Amino acid sequence: MTTNLAAFNTGSYRAGPKWKVLVWYFCNYYILNSAFPWPYTIKRALLRMFGARVGKGLIIKTKVRIKNPWRLSIGDHCWLGEGVWIDNLADVVLGDHVCISQGALLLTGNHDYKQPDFPYRLGEINIASGVWIGAMAVVCAGVTCGSHAVLTVNSVASRDLDAWMIYAGNPAVAVRERKMISPSGKLNMTAV
């Protein structure tokens, strides 16, 4: 038995109506994935028009790619840095005050390498409130990032991240607790 890519099929995955996928392709390419600094209000409105649930205060920088906005939910006051790629073949949910730094990849799909026809293997990504995904980091299919977890620069989360922990490496492992300093200078473990 060998890999047979000629037999590949998407399995149960369906992007959506072909007209919607096509129209989104052009909108994504010319507005979200553009180097032109379109106003955030236009980007938010566009995402909502295509079915994304978007909270207030979303900051979305240039060169952002979103595969299927109708499978995206973003809480209040989130940041999507330059070059972020949300490859959401399955649902992606971001809580409030989530920061996805430049070049990060949220990857809901993979391939089942055990099958000769290499079918999709999909999993939702859930990122709780206060999480920071560092620059060039990757969050893999099926991962849940607990409240205020941090995935450091260039790390790969292939398993769930516990709340209030900092993760580094490939695969990412917990390296220490996340502690926050209040404006008064005292250590504070409460949510933002």
Side-chain angles (χ1 to χ4, degrees), residues 12-174:
S12 63
Y13 170 71
R14 297 291 175 264
K18 289 183 181 184
W19 69 267
K20 189 176 190 180
V21 172
L22 181 65
V23 173
W24 172 249
Y25 175 83
F26 287 102
C27 291
N28 187 45
Y29 184 81
Y30 287 108
I31 297 175
L32 264 64
N33 195 16
S34 168
F36 183 80
W38 290 93
Y40 301 143
T41 53
I42 290 174
K43 294 177 184 181
R44 287 183 212 130
L46 186 64
L47 286 172
R48 287 182 182 119
M49 188 170 39
F50 278 88
R53 290 175 300 283
V54 178
K56 61 186 172 198
L58 172 63
I59 302 296
I60 183 167
K61 297 293 188 171
T62 58
K63 306 298 280 177
V64 170
R65 295 168 62 187
I66 296 173
K67 177 83 77 179
N68 297 312
W70 44 93
R71 289 194 172 105
L72 181 61
S73 178
I74 301 174
D76 293 336
H77 305 291
C78 291
W79 295 353
L80 299 180
E82 186 174 6
V84 164
W85 184 7
I86 300 176
D87 193 21
N88 57 334
L89 303 174
D91 290 347
V92 169
V93 177
L94 307 182
D96 299 331
H97 303 279
V98 170
C99 177
I100 311 293
S101 291
Q102 61 270 28
L105 170 60
L106 306 183
L107 185 63
T108 62
N110 201 338
H111 293 277
D112 188 347
Y113 59 85
K114 295 178 183 178
Q115 301 293 326
D117 60 348
F118 216 45
Y120 282 149
R121 190 170 49 186
L122 306 176
E124 295 181 2
I125 292 175
N126 289 288
I127 300 179
S129 294
V131 170
W132 178 17
I133 305 299
M136 306 301 289
V138 177
V139 179
C140 295
V143 169
T144 295
C145 301
S147 174
H148 293 81
V150 174
L151 182 62
T152 62
V153 171
N154 215 26
S155 296
V156 178
S158 55
R159 291 189 171 84
D160 291 351
L161 306 183
D162 292 332
W164 292 97
M165 294 299 294
I166 299 172
Y167 289 80
N170 181 6
V173 295

